[in-house]
Amino acid sequence: MVASWWSRARLGIFVHWTPASVPGWAPPHVPAAELPAAGRRAPLGWTPYAEWYENSLRFPGSPAAAHHRATYGTRPYTDFGHDFEDGLATWDPAAWARSFREAGAGYAVLVTKHHDGFCLWPSETDNPHRTGWHTTRDVVGEFAEAVRAEGLRFGVYYSGGLDWTFDDRPIGTAADMFSAVPRGGYPAYADAQLRELIRRYHPDILWNDIAWPASAAEIRSLTDYYRFTVPHGVVNDRLLPYAPHWRALRLPVARSLYNWWDRRTVAQGEGFVPRTPPAFDFRTPEYARYTGSDPYEITRGIDHSFGYNRNSPPDAFIGREALTSLVRSTAADGGNLLLNVGPRGEDATIPAEQRLRLEWLAEDAAVRAEEEARPEEKARESPSR
């Protein structure tokens, strides 16, 4: 059973903020069903998820690659890490946390390491492939302190399934993605980093992504350590154990069959529901509704990306009525909404379109607070009989 504090939260804020937030660019959303018809047999190379920018650059014909050539020439992706670090000079974590609390959030989850392998804390676990590929400032610690000071719970996202500093082959499809889960020294590296995050920050939420590069037994060891360290903590549903047959997905026939199966299992609409791992506390449908009986958390961006995308057209952003309806209907159904903000990488600010949505939520939260207070006021005003 999931922790009661999580069930009561109803709204959480997700923060995707990586070196990819510096270029902050991805093509507009195209429904997945239309990508093959448009000749794009590698849909993840055309993804509207701006946080996948480094992977998109590996497809020379992709919109992101064309944009990069026109804007940055031959500048390597790794240079954006320096720009990201410089942008931290104007970061105000307390202001972020205050806006999250005013929006009615009960928790906030920070991406501590996305697929590009860049860490938002000075990790004691050295990356053997990219020296210094992390912030010198303890962004994770400062974020945790700020949101907890506002009364929110704190969660860490960690990309356990992918790390492009360990395996940088282009990922165009779901089969490519699972075949690219790194092996060699990566399982020990990921285990050490996640244990480090648990030990240093005691996160209330452990939010893994894609899969885990080790066996079910090793996952149990990791989650046992987490639950011992944070007894009230909760774990999401993406700690999928590594399967040796994933390596076969590099073969054309296996790749084709898996991608066919994956398309059939994608949820109706834009998003998907992850495969069910052996152990979890709550499900995480992405840009999708959930119809199962488990505790769940819908996760989505304010537009069609998680990372900041300066190329998002106005109609890509969720409208006020749709946002209000999503928050209320999800809560009424007993689920949570994990709404993502994607700050800019160059100056650590939340873009205006995203701030506006947080302000809408804050106004709605204030109205709900007034409505909930009225019965108590009436009860105090009524004469006793």
Side-chain angles (χ1 to χ4, degrees):
M1 179 178 292
V2 71
S4 59
W5 69 262
W6 186 90
S7 298
R8 293 193 303 268
R10 299 308 184 211
L11 176 67
I13 300 295
F14 215 176
V15 179
H16 276 65
W17 189 34
T18 72
S21 305
V22 175
W25 197 95
H29 169 72
V30 174
E34 296 179 16
L35 286 169
R40 300 166 191 166
R41 301 298 178 181
L44 290 177
W46 272 252
T47 180
Y49 284 8
E51 67 277 12
W52 278 67
Y53 189 81
E54 184 181 18
N55 178 70
S56 296
L57 296 182
R58 299 190 176 111
F59 294 88
S62 72
H67 168 80
H68 190 86
R69 287 191 297 269
T71 310
Y72 303 105
T74 59
R75 189 181 185 195
Y77 178 81
T78 51
D79 273 9
F80 295 129
H82 302 298
D83 295 342
F84 184 91
E85 188 92 38
D86 292 343
L88 291 175
T90 54
W91 180 40
D92 187 349
W96 283 15
R98 185 167 56 254
S99 69
F100 300 162
R101 188 258 304 160
E102 290 172 348
Y107 58 95
V109 179
L110 177 67
V111 170
T112 64
K113 187 208 78 165
H114 202 258
H115 311 331
D116 64 0
F118 187 80
C119 297
L120 267 61
W121 82 102
S123 178
E124 64 192 34
T125 308
D126 293 332
N127 187 312
H129 304 293
R130 285 188 190 173
T131 302
W133 191 233
H134 59 74
T135 56
T136 55
R137 186 169 167 179
D138 187 3
V139 172
V140 177
E142 292 185 45
F143 184 93
E145 182 179 3
V147 299
R148 283 169 167 161
E150 291 291 339
L152 278 64
R153 301 278 185 164
F154 164 67
V156 298
Y157 164 110
Y158 185 86
S159 174
L162 295 176
D163 190 313
W164 299 326
T165 69
F166 282 80
D167 192 321
D168 62 357
R169 80 188 75 183
I171 298 174
T173 67
D176 295 339
M177 183 167 62
F178 282 101
S179 68
V181 175
R183 303 302 297 148
Y186 180 66
Y189 174 85
D191 184 87
Q193 282 206 323
L194 198 51
R195 288 176 187 265
E196 181 185 342
L197 287 166
I198 294 167
R199 184 175 66 252
R200 289 178 64 164
Y201 307 110
H202 288 71
D204 303 289
I205 303 167
L206 207 60
W207 216 103
N208 184 64
D209 202 6
I210 308 296
W212 192 251
S215 67
E218 289 166 297
I219 291 173
R220 281 194 297 274
S221 173
L222 180 62
T223 55
D224 285 349
Y225 172 72
Y226 172 61
R227 296 188 191 284
F228 175 81
T229 307
V230 188
H232 63 269
V234 294
V235 180
N236 81 329
D237 63 345
R238 303 193 185 192
L239 280 163
L240 191 68
Y242 178 79
H245 70 262
W246 288 348
R247 285 176 291 184
L249 295 176
R250 302 176 193 177
L251 302 174
V253 173
R255 182 176 183 269
S256 178
L257 287 172
Y258 186 90
N259 289 331
W260 172 83
W261 175 84
D262 183 70
R263 285 192 296 271
R264 285 178 58 88
T265 57
V266 169
Q268 290 185 351
E270 302 169 4
F272 71 96
V273 177
R275 294 165 61 186
T276 308
F280 62 93
D281 291 319
F282 61 94
R283 303 288 276 133
T284 59
E286 189 167 320
Y287 284 92
R289 302 296 298 186
Y290 183 67
T291 58
S293 58
D294 297 308
Y296 73 92
E297 169 193 80
I298 294 174
T299 181
R300 60 155 294 155
I302 285 174
D303 57 356
H304 290 292
S305 179
F306 285 90
Y308 168 53
N309 184 7
R310 67 182 79 245
N311 192 43
S312 283
D315 62 0
F317 295 90
I318 189 169
R320 181 163 192 166
E321 184 176 345
L323 178 59
T324 300
S325 175
L326 180 60
V327 172
R328 295 194 174 190
S329 63
T330 304
D333 191 46
N336 287 0
L337 171 65
L338 183 61
L339 184 69
N340 182 82
V341 297
R344 288 155 49 106
E346 61 265 40
D347 57 14
T349 61
I350 297 174
E353 298 90 342
Q354 300 184 36
R355 289 200 312 273
L356 177 61
R357 272 70 186 175
L358 294 178
E359 290 166 3
W360 290 346
L361 291 175
E363 292 170 5
D364 291 343
V367 170
R368 286 198 304 274
E370 290 180 5
E371 292 173 348
E372 292 170 359
R374 284 175 193 149
E376 296 180 4
E377 293 174 358
K378 289 181 179 179
R380 287 195 296 270
E381 293 171 358
S382 298
S384 58
R385 296 182 181 273

